[in-house]
C-alpha cells in the first residue's frame, strides 16, 4: 500500500437552505463513499476510519455506494469494524456500480443465479453492518413534528457502460409530498445533470461518489485538476446550479492503484442550516 491510501481527512461543508425545516437547523450529516473493502489486506485502516467517523458525532451517517470491489464476501472481515459506526438517528446506504458484480465473469461460477445470490448476500451484509440499504426508496426523518426525506436509489450512470439500475421516479413518488426538503443519495454524479436537475428540481442536495478523484491529481484551494475531469463534469467537491447542490465525495477506499496523490480519502461532514 502506498502513501496516501489511508491518510483519512475530514472535510467540513456548511450548506444553507431557505426551505430547511427549523427543527433541522444545525443537523449534522456525515457521508462516506466507495469503501472498496476488497482492497484492504488488514483491518487496521478501516478501524482508524471508523474511530475518526465516530469523533464527528453525526446525526445521520450515509454511505453512497461501492462497499466492495466485486464480491460480497470482500467486506465480511470488516463487518465487525463497520458495525461500530455511530449515528444518532440512522445509518443509510445505497449501491454503487461495483456492488452488482457486473465486472465478474460468472459463466463458470454458477451463472446468473450465482450473481443474484452474491447481490443478495451483499444486501444482507449491509444489514449486518447496521445500514438501512435504500433501493429506490424514500426514508423520512422527523424532528419536533417536522420532516426531511432522504431518497436513495440504485446505481444510475449517464455513461452507456454503466447500467441504469436506479429508479428515481419510484423513490420520489414514495416521499411524503408535504415534506419540504429532499436529499438524494445517488452513487454516480453524472446522474445529477442527466436526470436529477432537469426532472426533479425539488431535490435540494445530491450526495455522490464514484470518481475517487481518480486517486490522483492536484487539489489546492484555488486549483483542482485530475484526469477524471475529462470524463466527469462534476468529479470532486461541491457544485451548485440554481437552488440545487451536488457533492461528490472522493471516497474512503481505493481500487486498482493502492495509493492516492492529491485526492486523499475523505469523510465529509455537512452542517445543514436555515438560510
Amino acid at each position: 500500500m502506498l502513501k496516501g491510501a489511508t491518510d483519512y481527512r475530514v472535510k467540513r461543508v456548511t450548506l444553507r437552505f431557505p426551505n430547511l425545516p427549523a427543527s433541522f437547523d444545525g443537523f449534522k450529516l456525515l457521508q462516506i463513499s466507495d469503501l472498496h473493502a476488497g482492497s484492504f489486506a488488514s483491518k487496521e485502516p478501516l478501524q482508524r476510519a471508523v474511530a475518526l467517523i465516530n469523533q464527528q458525532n453525526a446525526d445521520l451517517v450515509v454511505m453512497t455506494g461501492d462497499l466492495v470491489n466485486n464480491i460480497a464476501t470482500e467486506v465480511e472481515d470488516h463487518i465487525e469494524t463497520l458495525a461500530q459506526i455511530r449515528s444518532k438517528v440512522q445509518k443509510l446506504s445505497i449501491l454503487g456500480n461495483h456492488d452488482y458484480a457486473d465486472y465478474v465473469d460468472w459463466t463458470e461460477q454458477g451463472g446468473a443465479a450465482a450473481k443474484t445470490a452474491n447481490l443478495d448476500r451483499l444486501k444482507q451484509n449491509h444489514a449486518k453492518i447496521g445500514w438501512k440499504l435504500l433501493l429506490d426508496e424514500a426514508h423520512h426523518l422527523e424532528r419536533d413534528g417536522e420532516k426531511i426525506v432522504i431518497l436513495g436509489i440504485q446505481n444510475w450512470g449517464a455513461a452507456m457502460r454503466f447500467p441504469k439500475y436506479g429508479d428515481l421516479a419510484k423513490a420520489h413518488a414514495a416521499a411524503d409530498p408535504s415534506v419540504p426538503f429532499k436529499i438524494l443519495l445517488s452513487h454516480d454524479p453524472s446522474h445529477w445533470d442527466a436526470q436529477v436537475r432537469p426532472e426533479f428540481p425539488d431535490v435540494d442536495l445530491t450526495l455522490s461518489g464514484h470518481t475517487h478523484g481518480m486517486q490522483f491529481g492536484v487539489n489546492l484551494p484555488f486549483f483542482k485538476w485530475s484526469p477524471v475531469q475529462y470524463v466527469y463534469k462534476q468529479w470532486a467537491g461541491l457544485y451548485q446550479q440554481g437552488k440545487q447542490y451536488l457533492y461528490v465525495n472522493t471516497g474512503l477506499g481505493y481500487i486498482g492503484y493502492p495509493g492516492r496523490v492529491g485526492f486523499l480519502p475523505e469523510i465529509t461532514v455537512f452542517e445543514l442550516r436555515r438560510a
Side-chain angles (χ1 to χ4, degrees), residues 10 17 32 45 52 74 90 113-114 116 119 132 169 180 213 215 219 236 259:
V10 177
F17 300 92
I32 55 176
L52 193 54
E74 293 170 4
Q90 190 73 61
T116 298
L119 184 56
K132 179 179 173 60
Q215 297 170 210
N219 188 7

Side-chain angles (χ1 to χ4, degrees), residues 9-160:
R9 300 298 173 92
V10 177
K11 294 191 176 181
R12 304 185 189 281
V13 181
T14 300
L15 296 175
R16 299 182 181 275
F17 300 92
N19 56 321
L20 182 72
S23 300
F24 286 87
D25 188 34
F27 190 81
K28 189 183 289 188
L29 186 160
L30 186 149
Q31 180 195 13
I32 55 176
S33 193
D34 298 83
L35 272 66
H36 289 285
S39 296
F40 290 93
S42 73
K43 297 180 182 181
E44 187 274 337
L46 286 178
Q47 290 170 343
R48 280 194 289 112
V50 168
L52 193 54
I53 289 166
N54 287 341
Q55 287 174 20
Q56 310 312 312
N57 198 29
D59 294 302
L60 172 68
V61 173
V62 300
M63 197 286 289
T64 49
D66 280 3
L67 178 59
V68 297
N69 295 344
N70 288 299
I71 305 296
T73 54
E74 293 170 4
V75 74
E76 291 174 5
D77 283 346
H78 305 287
I79 286 176
E80 183 179 0
T81 297
L82 295 172
Q84 295 172 22
I85 293 175
R86 295 193 299 269
S87 177
K88 292 180 183 177
V89 297
Q90 190 73 61
K91 293 181 285 187
L92 304 175
S93 61
I94 58 170
L95 298 175
N97 56 299
H98 280 268
D99 295 318
Y100 299 91
D102 287 339
Y103 311 125
V104 175
D105 184 355
W106 291 94
T107 54
E108 296 182 1
Q109 302 182 52
K115 183 180 180 184
T116 298
N118 178 74
L119 184 56
D120 289 341
R121 183 165 181 163
L122 183 71
K123 293 175 182 177
Q124 292 166 12
N125 288 339
H126 277 254
K128 289 177 181 178
I129 293 168
W131 293 341
K132 179 179 173 60
L133 178 62
L134 299 180
L135 300 167
D136 306 326
E137 298 174 64
H139 182 82
H140 297 82
L141 297 176
E142 184 171 349
R143 268 187 173 184
D144 300 328
E146 296 182 307
K147 294 180 181 180
I148 65 173
V149 63
I150 315 296
L151 308 176
I153 71 157
Q154 299 186 69
N155 191 70
W156 195 106
M160 290 298 290

